[in-house]
Amino acid sequence: MTGAKMGDAAAIKAAAAKGVGGVVLFGPASPNLARTLTDARAVAPRGNPSLICLDEEGGQVQRLSSLIYPSPRLR
């Protein structure tokens, strides 16, 4: 597993092309995230799709709320 900024499409695609098992996405949401993930899946080796993970705990900072849904805030 490796990490990359959500807006760094080149790093995400390079990791997928190398067959890295997963990519953890950090930083502010990218408006092109869906396209970046589709492109990463397209270059991943056959039979070895990448696992995409997010650092999204919920609470005040929810970078992907506009793309997925607001996560419940845990106390």
Side-chain angles (χ1 to χ4, degrees), residues 3-18 23 36 39-40 43:
K5 291 182 180 179
M6 283 188 228
D8 192 348
I12 295 167
K13 287 170 51 177
K18 291 178 183 175
V23 179
T36 297
D39 292 348
V43 299

Side-chain angles (χ1 to χ4, degrees), residues 7-9 11-13 16 19 21 28 34 39-40 44 48 53-54 59 67 74-75:
D8 192 348
I12 295 167
K13 287 170 51 177
D39 292 348
N48 190 29
C53 305
L54 304 171
L67 299 174
L74 302 176
R75 293 176 192 223

Side-chain angles (χ1 to χ4, degrees), residues 5-43:
K5 291 182 180 179
M6 283 188 228
D8 192 348
I12 295 167
K13 287 170 51 177
K18 291 178 183 175
V20 171
V23 179
V24 179
L25 303 178
F26 296 99
S30 167
N32 302 318
L33 184 58
R35 182 75 213 164
T36 297
L37 297 180
T38 298
D39 292 348
R41 287 186 196 108
V43 299

